[in-house]
């Protein structure tokens, strides 16, 4: 067997609250040190040698993913202004091609399709150029010569004449913003802005654009205004956020009535508005920030007057919806949707004639639509109190509002999916409730959804809390009562919900008799706001014990067994993986930790590191609070590695990740080996937090991880 790299011990000390911690591997943080880079290459070589026996399986999985994917495809065109905007993919191309085609008439709301397409079903259409099609940006061209590529901002002026785009070619989420003319004049803009965050936007006139820049901790802290065609040295800072817990973002309401600046920490937010007709004016606050209060703002017109719709949690833990006068947002509030302890209100999207409300009930996302009353009624009236929920005939599903840029559109576009139903796009005609199928994600080959079953189980945590568990499997290959190979996924932080969605790569697991399970542990948002509150800060251990309880439930009910149960989690879910490896290693035959946050105490104690101060709202502030320090130290994976019978562990990370630094899994793997664990480290040398860029590269990365999972779960490598 190959010999693992020898990670030299160079002891350092960390002292906080009188506690002295000795760290042998902190020297690996020196990213620019050639010795560190050489060590990381050694780790990659070792992992490659240790997984050499899986090479054929990796290639088989890659080909399965590729052969099931429609490589030459087209997104559903979305109307904005006088154009339909869409993205193409082409066989053999890593990235998308952003295009547009002109609308036929002002009342044209039917996405263009080819004559050979039958009805509204776009799944198997062979797309050629649409009438008048224009390529705006070919990501493949922009990516040439770079090992990594990501598009961070993309916007077009209201008149369609100018485009902005911002790209990152390192993976560190700092983007270079450029302008390009689209009016056929051939004009080339010299405007180039370095070091921006994602999400730049034009004002409605197209004369100005607004963008954010980041501070030394990679935090978007300043919003700037740039006048198109002028020197960037003349750009004006319009908003600066000095509180290091807050991020900034800038946007435009769908009505194009207001420019919006949003400042937000993990638990507090503040919104500022500016009349879009006066882009050089002063932004004004909607509600002054109040610690622990979050709110989102959208604009609507009622009775001919501007109103703001605000979803907030001030005295309403699961949030409620109110409206206020745009001219006096801190004035009287009209209650639209009061707080409901059984429903987590998540957002509202306002249009000229209707609103869409997104919420969560019984562990699943929901969307409902309400019409806006006609003009002429009292100005304080907003959407009527009749919400029409969109229903789906599946036990588990996911649904959301997306791709709806037009204020006056008569339809609302939604996306829906489940573990067995590929991603599907509908346009819902609000006046009639008719659903028009626009596209269902193609799955090439012989995919038959009736061969798969999705279901919900409930595990019982140590404190009696019922933990939802979602399962999907091939019912002809899995017989409950006979333990089956299982991949158990978990996250459990930031109120992020892991909802039932379809994935082509996952089919390669299901078709080998593997059950895919999701543990909806506390710290996520599946069961409402309190589900999140009960899995953070000094309640964070609930996240870990919930996951262990789910594993025990699956084992006790003979759904799986410890010798064929693999755990998977990424980022904060990687912290979960590290914690359960220390707490309950006997339950697992392997642990896959992706960009894992496994040295959280070291990171969060250093406010000079990227994103540290922002994270205090999620984990607590161990720098100033000895109770938080002690609590975090009690569960930090790196701090708690000990002589144990660990299952094999695969940690995957990226050199240029600014959210979870590569050094955390690098140190963790070294310490695991000291404790006798069989631990592997795979580090992408040209990637960010989301892994490698380009779809073929991403498929190969997924094939590598899934080959390891199949091996550790003792599933048959060749499938059926």
């Amino acid at each position: 067997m190959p010999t693992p790299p020898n990670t030299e011990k160079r002891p350092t000390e960390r002292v906080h609250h009188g506690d002295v911690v000795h760290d042998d591997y902190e020297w690996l943080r020196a990213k620019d040190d050639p010795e560190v880079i050489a060590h990381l290459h050694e780790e990659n070589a070792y992992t490659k040698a240790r997984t050499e026996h899986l090479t054929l399986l990796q290639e088989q999985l890659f080909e399965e993913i590729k052969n099931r994917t429609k490589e030459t495809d087209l997104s559903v065109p979305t109307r904005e202004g006088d154009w339909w905007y869409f993205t193409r993919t082409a066989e053999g191309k890593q990235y998308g091609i952003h295009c547009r085609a002109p609308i036929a008439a002002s009342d044209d709301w039917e996405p263009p399709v080819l004559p050979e397409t039958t009805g509204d079903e776009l799944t198997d259409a062979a797309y050629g150029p649409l009438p008048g099609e224009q390529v705006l940006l070919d990501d493949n061209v922009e990516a040439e010569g770079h090992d990594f590529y990501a598009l961070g901002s993309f916007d077009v002026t209201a008149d369609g004449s100018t485009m902005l785009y911002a790209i990152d070619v390192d993976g560190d989420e700092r983007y270079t913003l450029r302008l390009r003319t689209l009016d056929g004049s051939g004009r080339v803009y010299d405007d180039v802005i370095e070091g921006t965050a994602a999400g730049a936007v034009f004002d409605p006139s197209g004369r100005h654009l607004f963008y954010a820049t980041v501070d030394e901790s990679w935090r978007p802290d300043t919003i700037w205004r740039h006048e198109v065609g002028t020197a960037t040295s003349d750009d004006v800072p319009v908003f600066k956020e000095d509180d290091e817990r807050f991020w900034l973002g800038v946007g435009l309401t769908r009505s194009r009535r207001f420019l919006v600046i949003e400042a937000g920490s993990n638990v507090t937010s503040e919104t500022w508005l500016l009349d879009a007709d006066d882009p050089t004016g002063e932004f004004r606050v909607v509600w002054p920030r109040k610690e622990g209060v979050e709110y989102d703002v959208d604009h609507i017109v009622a009775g001919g007057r501007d109103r703001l719709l605000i979803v907030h949690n001030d005295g309403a833990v699961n949030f409620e919806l109110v409206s206020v006068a745009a001219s006096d947002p801190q004035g009287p509030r009209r209650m639209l949707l009061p707080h409901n302890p059984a429903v987590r209100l998540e957002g509202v999207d306002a249009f000229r004639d209707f609103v869409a409300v997104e919420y969560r009930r019984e562990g699943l996302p929901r969307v409902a639509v309400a019409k806006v009353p006609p003009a002429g009624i009292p100005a304080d009236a907003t959407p009527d109190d009749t919400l029409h929920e969109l229903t789906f005939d599946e036990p588990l599903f996911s649904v959301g509002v997306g791709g709806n840029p037009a204020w006056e559109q008569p339809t609302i576009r939604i996306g829906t999916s489940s573990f067995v139903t590929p991603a599907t796009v509908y346009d819902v005609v609000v006046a009639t409730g008719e659903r028009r199928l626009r596209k269902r994600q193609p799955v090439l080959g012989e995919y038959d959804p009736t061969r798969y079953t999705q279901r919900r189980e409930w595990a019982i945590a140590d404190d009696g809390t019922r933990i939802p568990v979602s399962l999907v499997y091939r019912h002809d290959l899995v017989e409950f009562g006979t333990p089956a190979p299982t991949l158990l996924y978990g996250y459990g932080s930031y109120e992020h919900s892991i909802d039932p969605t379809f994935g082509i790569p996952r089919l390669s697991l299901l078709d080998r008799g593997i059950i895919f399970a999701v543990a909806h542990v506390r710290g996520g948002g599946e069961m409402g706001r309190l589900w999140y509150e009960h899995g953070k800060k000094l309640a964070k251990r609930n996240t870990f014990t919930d996951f262990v309880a789910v594993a025990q439930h699956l084992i006790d009910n003979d759904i799986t067994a410890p010798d064929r149960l693999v755990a998977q989690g990424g980022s904060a879910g990687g912290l979960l993986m590290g914690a359960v490896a220390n707490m309950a290693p006997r339950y697992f035959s392997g642990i896959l930790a992706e960009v894992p946050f496994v040295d959280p105490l070291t990171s969060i104690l250093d406010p000079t590191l990227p994103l540290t101060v922002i994270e205090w709202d999620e984990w607590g502030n161990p720098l100033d609070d000895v109770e938080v320090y002690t609590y975090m130290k009690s569960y930090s994976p790196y701090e708690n590695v000990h002589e144990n019978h660990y299952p094999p562990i695969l940690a995957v990370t990226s050199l240029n990740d600014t959210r979870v630094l590569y050094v955390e899994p690098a140190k963790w793997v070294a310490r695991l080996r000291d404790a006798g664990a069989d631990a592997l480290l795979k580090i992408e040398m040209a990637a960010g937090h989301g892994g490698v860029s380009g779809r073929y590269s991403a498929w190969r990365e997924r094939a590598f991880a899934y080959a390891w999972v199949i091996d550790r779960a003792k599933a048959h490598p060749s499938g059926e």
Side-chain angles (χ1 to χ4, degrees):
M1 180 179 291
T3 302
N6 178 28
T7 311
E8 183 181 345
K9 294 183 178 181
R10 302 178 186 177
T12 59
E13 282 190 357
R14 186 190 74 208
V15 182
H16 290 281
H17 306 293
D19 181 45
V20 180
V21 174
H22 298 278
D23 190 340
D24 290 331
Y25 301 115
E26 180 63 14
W27 66 273
L28 292 171
R29 189 177 299 277
K31 179 180 176 181
D32 296 329
D33 186 339
E35 193 173 358
V36 171
I37 297 300
H39 173 77
L40 297 178
H41 281 299
E42 288 178 9
E43 289 283 7
N44 278 342
Y46 174 64
T47 297
K48 182 178 180 181
R50 285 291 311 280
T51 57
E52 193 71 32
H53 66 293
L54 299 175
T55 300
L56 290 179
L57 178 55
Q58 293 168 20
E59 190 62 27
Q60 181 181 348
L61 292 170
F62 172 79
E63 289 297 327
E64 288 175 10
I65 297 169
K66 182 174 179 290
N67 292 337
R68 284 185 170 123
T69 302
K70 186 174 177 59
E71 297 179 69
T72 298
D73 204 356
L74 176 72
S75 67
V76 181
T78 297
R79 179 176 160 177
E80 189 165 8
D82 295 332
W83 300 87
W84 292 103
Y85 290 87
F86 52 95
T87 300
R88 291 188 174 279
T89 56
E91 183 175 356
K93 299 289 187 180
Q94 288 268 28
Y95 303 98
I97 304 168
H98 307 275
C99 309
R100 70 179 181 182
I103 62 172
S106 60
D107 60 351
D108 175 20
W109 293 100
E110 284 295 312
V113 294
L114 294 178
E116 60 266 29
T117 303
T118 58
D120 291 325
E121 176 60 69
L122 304 185
T123 301
D124 296 317
Y127 300 111
L130 299 179
E133 181 172 324
Q134 177 184 8
V135 173
L136 304 181
L137 185 72
D138 187 337
D139 288 335
N140 300 285
V141 174
E142 301 297 328
E144 287 179 2
H146 301 290
D147 293 329
F148 180 89
Y149 172 86
L151 181 65
S153 298
F154 184 85
D155 194 28
V156 178
T157 55
D159 65 2
S161 66
T162 307
M163 174 185 72
L164 68 78
Y165 63 102
I167 62 174
D168 166 22
V169 294
D170 295 313
D172 61 2
E173 299 182 51
R174 290 192 176 186
Y175 301 87
T176 299
L177 188 151
R178 293 181 171 86
L179 300 178
R180 180 175 294 177
T181 181
L182 302 174
D183 61 5
S185 67
R187 180 183 178 189
V188 176
Y189 292 99
D190 294 328
D191 314 47
V192 177
I193 307 173
E194 303 282 355
T196 72
V201 64
F202 284 110
D203 79 312
S205 74
R207 297 193 308 272
H208 303 89
L209 63 90
F210 292 79
Y211 64 93
T213 54
V214 299
D215 63 12
E216 293 180 354
S217 295
W218 263 254
R219 176 182 67 96
D221 72 325
T222 307
I223 302 296
W224 299 78
R225 184 182 68 244
H226 171 75
E227 184 174 353
V228 175
T230 67
T232 57
S233 59
D234 295 332
D235 289 0
V236 178
V238 298
F239 193 94
K240 176 72 183 297
E241 178 54 64
D242 294 322
D243 190 327
E244 293 181 310
R245 298 175 303 158
F246 285 75
W247 283 35
L248 294 181
V250 62
L252 186 67
T253 60
R254 182 178 285 105
S255 64
R256 295 187 172 270
R257 179 72 175 80
F258 296 102
L259 288 155
V260 184
I261 292 176
E262 294 177 319
S265 72
N266 284 331
V267 297
T268 306
S269 63
E270 185 177 61
T271 298
W272 294 67
L273 299 181
L274 173 63
D275 191 319
D277 291 335
D278 182 24
T280 61
E282 295 293 326
F283 283 83
R284 57 189 177 90
V285 69
V286 176
W287 290 354
R289 69 186 62 174
K290 180 179 178 181
E291 187 67 24
V293 172
E294 300 173 67
Y295 68 93
D296 291 313
V297 178
D298 207 343
H299 170 241
I300 198 169
V301 177
R305 299 185 184 180
D306 293 321
R307 304 281 296 179
L308 302 179
L309 300 181
I310 302 180
V311 176
H312 73 92
N313 68 336
D314 191 3
V317 66
N318 263 351
F319 291 71
E320 64 187 17
L321 174 63
V322 301
S323 80
V324 298
S327 59
D328 183 22
Q330 297 170 43
R333 304 180 185 181
R334 176 180 173 84
M335 179 63 68
L336 299 179
L337 290 175
H339 176 262
N340 185 336
V343 175
R344 166 62 163 99
L345 184 59
E346 295 192 324
V348 61
D349 284 275
F351 299 80
R352 185 188 63 188
D353 301 321
F354 59 90
V355 297
V357 180
E358 295 183 88
Y359 49 98
R360 184 172 294 278
R361 188 182 69 245
E362 299 172 338
L364 293 173
R366 320 276 175 161
V367 171
V369 180
K371 299 177 184 177
V372 173
I377 61 176
D380 63 348
T382 38
D384 65 29
D385 58 1
T386 304
L387 282 172
H388 301 281
E389 183 177 302
L390 304 178
T391 59
F392 303 91
D393 189 22
E394 293 191 85
L396 302 175
F397 61 85
S398 179
V399 63
V401 177
N404 295 279
W407 167 249
E408 70 277 15
Q409 63 189 60
T411 60
I412 182 168
R413 181 162 295 172
I414 64 165
T416 182
S417 182
S418 77
F419 285 127
V420 300
T421 302
T424 305
V425 177
Y426 291 101
D427 281 346
V428 179
V429 181
V430 176
T432 64
E434 175 194 359
R435 293 187 195 179
R436 296 175 178 172
L437 177 63
R438 297 307 190 194
K439 184 180 180 69
R440 177 159 288 143
Q441 177 187 7
V443 183
L444 304 184
E446 299 180 353
Y447 174 66
D448 180 0
T450 64
R451 302 172 75 184
Y452 304 83
T453 295
Q454 56 178 349
R455 59 184 284 182
R456 173 66 55 85
E457 295 269 331
W458 295 87
I460 307 300
D462 293 342
D463 61 3
T465 301
R466 298 175 75 237
I467 311 300
V469 189
S470 297
L471 307 176
V472 60
Y473 52 92
R474 273 273 301 269
H475 54 73
D476 59 333
L477 299 179
V478 173
E479 180 180 354
F480 272 40
T482 301
T486 299
L487 177 60
L488 178 60
Y489 183 88
Y491 187 75
S493 293
Y494 304 106
E495 203 181 358
H496 177 67
S497 299
I498 307 299
D499 292 320
T501 56
F502 186 81
I504 284 179
R506 190 186 304 136
L507 294 177
S508 292
L509 300 181
L510 303 183
D511 289 349
R512 287 171 170 80
I514 294 178
I515 297 172
F516 179 75
V518 177
H520 302 285
V521 295
R522 281 174 284 186
E526 288 90 341
M527 302 296 288
R529 181 64 173 217
L530 290 179
W531 199 251
Y532 166 55
E533 297 289 347
H534 295 163
K536 62 182 293 193
K537 288 190 173 180
L538 295 177
K540 189 62 199 171
R541 274 188 169 271
N542 286 335
T543 302
F544 316 138
T545 56
D546 285 358
F547 192 87
V548 173
V550 170
Q552 183 174 352
H553 171 86
L554 297 177
I555 293 167
D556 289 349
N557 287 275
D558 290 327
I559 294 171
T560 189
D563 66 343
R564 60 198 63 190
L565 175 59
V566 178
Q568 178 190 8
S571 194
L575 166 63
L576 171 61
M577 295 300 99
V580 300
N582 291 330
M583 295 169 58
R586 67 187 185 278
Y587 285 155
F588 306 101
S589 61
I591 293 178
L592 172 59
E594 298 173 305
V595 288
F597 186 42
V598 284
D599 190 17
L601 190 53
T602 301
S603 294
I604 293 180
L605 281 168
D606 187 351
T608 67
L609 291 178
L611 313 183
T612 289
V613 176
I614 294 168
E615 295 295 322
W616 287 346
D617 282 334
E618 180 74 17
W619 313 97
N621 179 359
L623 194 62
D624 298 328
D625 190 326
V626 65
E627 183 181 15
V628 171
Y629 176 91
T630 303
Y631 188 76
M632 288 191 69
K633 188 179 179 184
S634 75
Y635 69 70
S636 169
Y638 184 64
E639 307 275 350
N640 289 281
V641 171
H642 57 284
E643 294 293 332
N644 204 346
H645 185 64
Y646 286 102
I649 293 172
L650 172 61
V652 179
T653 189
S654 300
L655 182 65
N656 294 326
D657 190 346
T658 58
R659 295 175 183 260
V660 178
L661 301 185
Y662 74 91
V663 67
E664 296 198 27
K667 290 170 56 177
W668 181 52
V669 164
R671 182 166 282 186
L672 282 168
R673 291 194 189 124
D674 288 344
D678 179 8
L680 301 178
L681 176 66
K682 183 175 187 291
I683 181 165
E684 298 293 344
M685 304 304 287
H689 191 61
V692 296
S693 64
R695 56 178 178 165
Y696 297 101
S697 299
W699 296 345
R700 289 202 176 277
E701 187 178 64
R702 184 51 51 204
F704 173 86
Y706 276 0
W708 188 86
V709 167
I710 291 167
D711 186 53
R712 294 310 314 157
K714 296 182 172 63
H716 197 286
S718 61
E720 302 176 62

